[in-house]
Structures are given as structure tokens and as C-alpha cells.
Amino acid sequence: MTSVEDPAAVEDPAAAAARCTPEFRRNPYPVYGQLRETAPVCPITPPHGIDTYLITRYQDARTALADLRLSKDMYGAMDSYRKIFGESSVALDDHMLNSDPPKHTRLRRLVNSEFTPHRVESLRTHIQDVVGRLLDDCPVREPVDLLPAFAFPLPIIVICELLGVPPHDRADVQTWSTTVAQTGFSKESKLAQQNAEESLHGYFADLVAHKRDHPDEDLLSALTAARDENGRLTEQELISTAFLLMFAGHKTTAYLIGNAVHHLLTHPDQLRAVQQDPQLVGQAVEELLRYDGSVETATFRFATEDLEIAGTRIPKGSLVQIALNSANRDPLKFDTPDRFDVLRPGNTQSAHLGFGHGIHYCLGAPLARLETQLALTGLFERFPRVAPADPDREPPWMVVPFPAFRGLTELPVILDPAGP
């Protein structure tokens, strides 16, 4: 269960957050709760060694996400960026998520039309078909890990089809991406990250070259044409954008689906509410994004000048880490925030920060919402008695010492424990 323990039990919440201990990663909410009360803008030194300010309250987080003095331009703080992510990340990360206007505006405009609500809605029937095929392949009366069998394949199939990544390449792309997502700071971990990122860069460079010679009706072909016809993006930007869309287009949604299934199974009253009124699934997804979203903290930001947030001075050059999952549990914004409630009043799409805020609001939010809604609907309609394979087992949350993603390492269930 993901609950808030007695904050008094956290002797030094700032130290726990700074060290990113396994205990903190398994359940960060007691630490976040105490920091919101005592140090809402807290100076910490994370495992990467760079002084950082951790923001935990909702209003401060929302303000910071839209504050252009907090830059996302990795080239403006390249020494810090290299120290955290490594040299191999630079070649893959020259995209809209790591840029400021006007570059951000130019890059985002190139892909924005593919992710509008209307365009995404046109994929509904196809996504439903993918959900059905994946469930067809799952054993129903013996334990199955829903992460590799269902939660991950769904979004990677959809985003790879949009991009034009061939089916026979998708397993390698997913494996390399998983290595990048679960990287820590040990020498062995950084070497694995470097090898995976070099593989991804080489793969997308080759795929771009193939699309250049053999264009198709996919997004990567369109981006390659835009690069060649009018130079609206560089070759490195093109490769980095392909990586970003693939990586962000499946990891965050896969972990969200896993978190959603876990919390619905461990809150049977909430699952019953959704099963009794299927129209609640959209609202349930919003509550899941608020309660335990898959993006725990926002991505790389640094102060371009001295500034102050909530009475705390943040010196120029400092990194700023915005704890989205903490903001979404702020009692100053949400009543009884540690309660999972799919019927929460006023739980609108604009309330939580699960997809960020401001100009970097998640481009793929409409697609992530639709995929998660259809995944939950397909799973629980087809297997209404699905249950955890081991109800007494503690959920295996990721514990890598960097709170980027919030997700499980496995999700074993029995789809039809009461079957004949």
C-alpha cells in the first residue's frame, strides 16, 4: 500500500530525500509530507553531488513549472548535465524537453499535431484491439506479470507504430530504454546507461536514414522530410526527438498503467465503483495521476538568476527539483490527499500536476490518458475477478537512487482465480 506513515518517524526527511534511500523510493510520501510542513523549498545534495533545491508544495511547484527563470536548456548548464546524465546522454537529449523558447517552440510545433485530442481519439479502436490481443496472450489461471505482458507492450506498440519503428526492432528499443530509465550512479550502472544510449542513438540514426530513402506514412518520415526540406530541425534534434517521443511515449504510460492496476486491486471499494459505473474510468485515471503518478519529479531545471520561492533564496546556477507527486498530495490543495478516491469532487484534469504545467506540459497527455483508460477498461471488463498473485507481498517499487519515475518492477496477478 502507498500510505503516509507518522511523519515523526522520519528523523531527517531532507537527508532521506537527498540520499534517495531504498526506503524513501519505496514510499516517499512520509518524507514529502514532512518537508511540505517544515522545508517546502529544501536544499539537498542528491547522489549526483550537485546542490539542488527540492520543491514539495503544490502552489510552489505549479509556479516553478511555469517560471522561465528556471531554464531547461541543457546547454546552459552543461557541466551539471554531464555530471548527472553522462556524455552519452547529450547526443540523445537535444530535444524540446531540454530547451527553452524559441527553440522549444519550434521543436514542439513540429510534432504537436500528432498528439491533439482529436488525432488521439481516432486511435481509440486500434488501441482497443491492441489491448484485446495482449490479453488474449496472457494465461488466466496462473500468475502472470502484467508489466511485461500488458502494461509495457501496449504503449510501446502504439508509439512505435506512430513513429514507424518496425515490430522486429521494438524489443531491443524497449530493453535499451529500460536500462536508461533504471540507471543509478554506480560505475557499472553508468556504463550500462552509456551502452544503452549509444545503442539507441545508433538505432535512431539508422532509422532516420532508412526513412529518408524509404519514406512512409509515419511521424518519423514526416520529421525527416521537415529536416531535409526546410531545415526546421538539425540532424541531432531529429534523432533526439525520435528518442524522446519513443521513450516518454511508453515508459511513463507503462508505469502509470502498472500503478493504476496495483492501486485498484489494493483498494477494492474503488475498483467496484469503476466496475459499477464504467464512465468513471476517466475520472479514476485522473485520481491515479494525482494519487501516485508515474513521473515522481519533473525533469532537469536550473536557475538562470538568483530567485526566491516560498521565502527561500535559490542562487543562480542551482538545480531545482520539483516533486510532482508531493505536490499532488498537498493538503493545501486537495482534501484528504492521502486517500485514493475515484469519486473525489472537482478532480478535473487541470487540478493535478501529473503531466506538468506551463509550456512543457506533457505533449502526450491525451494519448497517455486514452491508453490508460482503455487498458483498465479492457482488463477489468474481461477479468472482473483479477487479483494479486500474492496479496501479502509488499509491492516491489523501483528503488534506483533518482526519483524520476515512480513504478513497480513487477505486477504478478491471477487474471481469473475463480474460473471453472
Side-chain angles (χ1 to χ4, degrees), residues 219-390:
L219 179 54
L220 190 52
S221 294
L223 289 172
T224 302
R227 151 77 178 142
D228 294 345
E229 290 171 7
N230 50 33
R232 285 192 288 171
L233 70 170
T234 68
E235 191 76 3
Q236 180 163 308
E237 289 170 348
L238 173 58
I239 293 169
S240 295
T241 297
F243 164 72
L244 171 66
L245 295 174
M246 182 281 305
F247 186 83
H250 86 276
K251 282 294 175 194
T252 55
T253 304
Y255 287 129
L256 177 61
I257 293 170
N259 294 1
V261 173
H262 165 71
H263 286 302
L264 286 168
L265 290 180
T266 54
H267 295 80
D269 59 326
Q270 301 301 303
L271 177 56
R272 279 194 301 273
V274 176
Q275 289 176 318
Q276 291 168 2
D277 182 3
Q279 296 300 315
L280 281 178
V281 68
Q283 192 167 324
V285 170
E286 299 308 314
E287 173 67 348
L288 288 155
L289 282 158
R290 184 204 67 80
Y291 181 73
D292 206 16
S294 60
V295 181
E296 186 169 337
T297 59
T299 49
F300 182 84
R301 279 173 171 80
F302 68 95
T304 58
E305 60 184 70
D306 292 346
L307 57 100
E308 186 175 293
I309 298 178
T312 298
R313 179 179 176 274
I314 299 177
K316 178 180 179 179
S318 301
L319 299 191
V320 175
Q321 183 174 315
I322 304 170
L324 303 178
N325 282 16
S326 173
N328 286 333
R329 295 280 193 103
D330 188 346
L332 296 177
K333 176 62 179 179
F334 302 98
D335 293 335
T336 59
D338 297 314
R339 180 164 59 90
F340 175 46
D341 181 7
V342 300
L343 297 172
R344 181 177 296 277
N347 193 13
T348 63
Q349 294 183 358
S350 61
H352 64 73
L353 299 178
F355 288 122
H357 174 66
I359 65 170
H360 289 282
Y361 182 83
C362 178
L363 180 76
L367 181 58
R369 284 187 166 106
L370 182 62
E371 288 174 330
T372 306
Q373 290 172 16
L374 295 179
L376 297 178
T377 298
L379 173 66
F380 290 115
E381 283 188 352
R382 185 161 175 180
F383 300 107
R385 292 183 293 272
V386 57
D390 184 359

Side-chain angles (χ1 to χ4, degrees), residues 93-172:
D93 286 353
D94 191 9
H95 48 62
M96 70 185 85
L97 194 59
N98 292 322
S99 61
D100 297 332
K103 178 178 177 178
H104 169 267
T105 308
R106 170 175 58 84
L107 294 176
R108 183 160 176 138
R109 186 179 294 129
L110 286 169
V111 298
N112 199 48
S113 62
E114 288 295 317
F115 296 95
T116 61
H118 177 74
R119 171 74 175 92
V120 167
E121 182 60 30
S122 72
L123 301 174
R124 176 180 290 272
T125 300
H126 177 60
I127 295 172
Q128 288 172 324
D129 290 342
V130 175
V131 167
R133 293 199 304 270
L134 291 172
L135 291 175
D136 286 343
D137 292 338
C138 290
V140 300
R141 296 185 182 92
E142 59 188 59
V144 57
D145 184 350
L146 280 187
L147 291 187
F150 183 63
F152 273 88
L154 172 60
I156 201 166
I157 288 170
V158 173
I159 195 63
C160 284
E161 287 177 345
L162 286 174
L163 279 172
V165 175
H168 59 268
D169 293 339
R170 293 170 190 171
D172 284 340

